[in-house]
Structures are given as structure tokens and as C-alpha cells.
Amino acid sequence: MKNRSIEIVVSPKPPHYVGDGFRVHNFIPGAFRLDMQRMDPFLVLDYNADFYFPPSNEPKGVGVHPHKGFETVTIAYKGRIKHNDNSGGGGIIGEGDVQWMTAGSGILHKEFHEETFSKEGGNLQMVQLWVNLSKENKKQKPKYQSITKEQMGKVELPDHAGTVEVIAGEYNGVKGPAFTFSPVELQNAKLNKGGKSVFTFPTHYTVAALVIKGSIKVNIEEEVPTDHFVLFNTDGESFSIEAMEDSIVLIMAGKPLREPIFAHGPFVMNTRNEIIEAIDDFNNGKFGVLD
């Protein structure tokens, strides 16, 4: 089995705010080589690196806004986020939890710091990943998957190396709870210092990793520090990571959809005309309402 080599290691760009509650480094799209076609089926990756928000009586976040044509996956590593949408989904995304929202044919939602977290202040660290839907699945009815850390698949690695949490897909025969419309693998490798793990995916999959905490060595030789993103080539199946210190690494892999991508703001469709239709539908109230 041939090793999968590294295509590029990307350092975080200067942060910007999404609303007033999320201070993010954007890796997908926009970073060198990380355009939507190359990262298919992944469209956007915004990373709120570990950041302290002071106490606020008014929760910070993003007000009501639309999405259509894809899914958003929010992973909370620190802090708590409150979500509501007009499909009936909503709740608190606590530390270690995941929210998987299917925008599908069109949804309105909002996300803010949870009230108690906002009033007390604290560190927020999270990832939001957009996963594309195929042309057919862009018509899906919106839905919401709330995945707690207790529900995730867990694999204890040998030699006290650490744990792999499986959000979606499978690791060493243990499956994650998330339903996906196309093959997507999403896993947290939580490694103790010196701990090692090996990940294997089909050669043609898009595969990447984000170092959430600590620092790692990939394939024995390439050191990757915290808050850096690794994109792998499509030249092999397996790669290894070793923790230089206690580390958390988000592993993401997906089967490319190989369909045209036409993106405009919160809408991702296959053609320009479909984007125009989405904008018209939103402006004409066809997405519904959300207070």
C-alpha cells in the first residue's frame, strides 16, 4: 500500500470576523491551491482558532441568513454555540459536539454564542466546514443532525497513543453517527505525546488535516505546527501522524462529486441560472421565515 504524500502545508491567513462572534482563519477556498474544485466535495473551511471572548450581555454571532445546495458541519472544541433554523432544528453545540445541517433546497438559520457562555466570557475554538451536495441532493428537504461527543464512534489506539473520534465514516471498523449523502470521512485524532496513528482512504479521495492543538509529524518526516492545514496528494492511500506533544488533529476525506460548482455567497449550485433562482426564491420569501 503506497503512502499518500503531502501536496502543501498551509499556514493560517490573517483572521476576519463572521458576524461579531466568530474570528476565523479561512482555509477553503482562497488559500493557495485550496479552491473548491481541488477540494471537492469540501467547499469552505473556516477555523476559529482558540480565542478569548470577554463577557457580553448581548450574545455575539450571526443573525438570520440563508443557505442552499450544501451542508454545514460545525465542530465545537471550546465554548458553546446556540443554533436555530426554520426547519425546526436547533440547540446548543457544546464542547466536543457537532452540528450537521443539511441546507438542501433552502434554509434560514442563525448562530450565536450560548447565553451563559456569552455572559461569563471564555475561549471559543471551532471549525465550520461546508460539504457539497450532488445536483440531485441539492433538492433535499433541510434537516439537522445534532451529534454529541458521547455519540461519536471511539477507537482507543494501542500503546496509550490516544483516541480517534469518528464523526462520519469509519476508522478501524468503528463507524461515526453522521449520515452523509456521499462518502465523507470526518475524524478527530486525539493523540498523546509520542502517539501515532495511520489513516487510509481511497487514492482518489480528497484528503486533508487541520492541527487543532499541539504539533505533529506526518509520514515520519514533515513537521506541522498548530493551526496549520495539510493537503495530501492523490498518489497513495495511507499516511501516518505522530504527536510531537499532546495534539488534536481534524482528519477530513471525501469522494469528489465531479460536478460543476457555481457558488455565490450562501448558495452553492451547479449553474449561474440556479444561483439566480436561489436568490429570487430567497427574496420572494420561499425559504420561509425565522425570527
Side-chain angles (χ1 to χ4, degrees):
M1 188 177 296
K2 186 180 178 184
N3 272 357
R4 185 185 291 264
S5 64
I6 291 176
E7 180 174 331
I8 189 173
V9 175
V10 182
S11 58
K13 296 194 299 183
H16 67 275
Y17 274 85
V18 177
D20 62 0
F22 305 102
R23 179 183 178 271
V24 303
H25 305 276
N26 172 254
F27 285 103
I28 308 171
F32 183 58
R33 299 189 199 174
L34 305 186
D35 61 84
M36 290 181 177
Q37 292 290 354
R38 172 62 184 90
M39 298 308 299
D40 182 14
F42 306 112
L43 299 165
V44 169
L45 193 154
D46 278 341
Y47 171 50
N48 191 128
D50 194 354
F51 183 77
Y52 176 77
F53 282 89
S56 173
N57 288 325
E58 189 69 26
K60 299 180 183 298
V62 184
V64 177
H65 58 284
H67 287 303
K68 182 176 182 178
F70 60 95
E71 301 183 287
T72 68
V73 183
T74 303
I75 308 169
Y77 293 95
K78 292 183 179 180
R80 295 186 302 279
I81 305 156
K82 185 177 181 180
H83 164 94
N84 291 99
D85 65 54
N86 68 334
S87 76
I92 306 300
I93 311 167
E95 291 190 4
D97 298 342
V98 173
Q99 168 221 289
W100 200 299
M101 185 185 79
T102 303
S105 59
I107 198 169
L108 299 176
H109 83 129
K110 57 184 178 180
E111 49 203 336
F112 289 89
H113 297 179
E114 182 267 335
E115 285 88 344
T116 302
F117 173 77
S118 180
K119 289 178 180 178
E120 294 176 350
N123 285 62
L124 182 69
Q125 186 177 24
M126 57 163 284
V127 165
Q128 185 165 98
L129 179 68
W130 293 13
V131 180
N132 203 7
L133 292 169
S134 68
K135 181 178 178 62
E136 187 62 33
N137 285 324
K138 289 181 187 297
K139 302 172 185 176
Q140 289 284 340
K141 183 179 178 180
K143 70 173 189 173
Y144 178 94
Q145 298 177 75
S146 177
I147 302 169
T148 66
K149 57 187 176 184
E150 290 79 16
Q151 293 172 317
M152 293 179 194
K154 290 184 177 62
V155 178
E156 293 294 332
L157 299 171
D159 303 320
H160 305 290
T163 305
V164 174
E165 291 181 343
V166 187
I167 302 167
E170 183 177 328
Y171 185 84
N172 283 5
V174 176
K175 295 183 178 181
F179 170 84
T180 65
F181 288 95
S182 64
V184 172
E185 306 270 349
L186 205 58
Q187 301 158 9
N188 279 315
K190 297 185 172 182
L191 302 180
N192 300 319
K193 182 179 180 180
K196 300 177 183 178
S197 57
V198 176
F199 295 86
T200 302
F201 305 107
T203 302
H204 65 287
Y205 275 31
T206 300
V207 179
L210 176 63
V211 182
I212 302 293
K213 172 187 174 183
S215 58
I216 61 171
K217 191 176 286 187
V218 179
N219 292 336
I220 306 175
E221 53 189 25
E222 182 84 25
E223 292 189 15
V224 183
T226 187
D227 298 342
H228 281 58
F229 184 87
V230 183
L231 174 64
F232 290 90
N233 283 305
T234 53
D235 59 354
E237 295 182 349
S238 296
F239 64 93
S240 65
I241 60 175
E242 178 182 356
M244 310 293 287
E245 54 190 312
D246 290 354
S247 300
I248 300 174
V249 185
L250 175 63
I251 308 293
M252 48 190 283
K255 181 180 180 181
L257 298 177
R258 306 291 190 219
E259 292 185 359
I261 298 172
F262 204 107
H264 181 80
F267 309 123
V268 182
M269 305 302 291
N270 296 107
T271 67
R272 183 175 183 274
N273 285 341
E274 288 171 340
I275 290 290
I276 294 171
E277 180 183 352
I279 294 171
D280 287 344
D281 286 348
F282 170 64
N283 288 335
N284 291 326
K286 291 185 179 179
F287 281 34
V289 295
L290 177 65
D291 294 329

